[in-house]
């Protein structure tokens, strides 16, 4: 089956099998930030943005990308590095395995919420698992990142 979509801003046409998972398809295309974690749509490690909404690629067929814009961490390196620095500065990069999911979900959240509260951040990111730091460091890093961005806008 043929699909046509945008991957990190580049229009593509690909031939896929109907049962191909988006996670496997993206990794075949070199998007290694998309990670296999629980394989049950419970950990958030495989999160990508599809038309600016977070999607768990381990439970989404690649066929659903047809006509859509798919963004992985590879497609937003500058923004991801900036947010990732704030998360790391708060001690949340112990193993780094969960960070791509946190980063992708944070950017999806910012498309929906203009000035999220700490409670809204925690609620939005509740589908991400971190076995090292238990979300406290990530939340602090995200809050500091938001403060930084707000100060930049006001300057």
């Amino acid at each position: 089956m043929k699909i046509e979509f945008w991957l990190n801003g580049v229009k593509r046409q690909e031939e896929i099998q109907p049962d191909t998972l988006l996670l496997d398809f993206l990794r075949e295309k070199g998007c290694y930030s998309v990670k296999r974690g629980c394989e049950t749509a419970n950990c958030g490690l495989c999160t990508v943005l599809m038309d600016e909404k977070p999607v768990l690629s381990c439970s989404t067929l690649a066929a659903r990308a047809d006509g859509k814009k798919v963004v992985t961490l590879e497609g937003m390196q500058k923004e991801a590095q900036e947010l990732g620095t704030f998360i790391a500065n708060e001690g949340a990069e112990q193993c780094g395995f969960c960070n791509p999911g946190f980063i992708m979900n944070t950017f999806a959240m910012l498309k929906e919420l203009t000035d999220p509260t700490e409670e809204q951040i925690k609620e939005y990111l509740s589908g991400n698992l971190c076995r090292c730091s238990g979300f406290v460091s990530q939340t602090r890093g995200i809050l500091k990142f938001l403060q930084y961005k707000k100060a930049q806008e006001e300057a």
Side-chain angles (χ1 to χ4, degrees), residues 52-129:
E52 299 186 345
K53 302 283 185 206
V55 172
L56 297 169
S57 63
C58 76
S59 61
T60 301
L61 292 174
R64 293 218 30 229
D66 190 39
K68 308 275 188 196
K69 294 178 181 175
V70 177
V71 178
T72 68
L73 211 54
E74 287 82 2
M76 51 190 316
Q77 284 295 305
K78 183 179 180 231
E79 302 93 334
Q81 184 176 3
E82 188 176 47
L83 174 54
T85 299
F86 279 87
I87 291 172
N89 287 342
E90 292 302 315
E93 84 298 346
Q94 291 177 24
C95 80
F97 198 69
C98 65
N99 283 347
F102 273 102
I103 290 169
M104 296 305 288
N105 276 304
T106 298
F107 284 113
M109 175 186 69
L110 294 176
K111 297 279 186 191
E112 293 182 31
L113 306 173
T114 54
D115 192 17
T117 64
E118 183 173 346
E119 193 57 41
Q120 287 173 313
I121 292 169
K122 288 178 182 178
E123 183 178 324
Y124 204 95
L125 301 177
S126 65
N128 289 77
L129 294 181

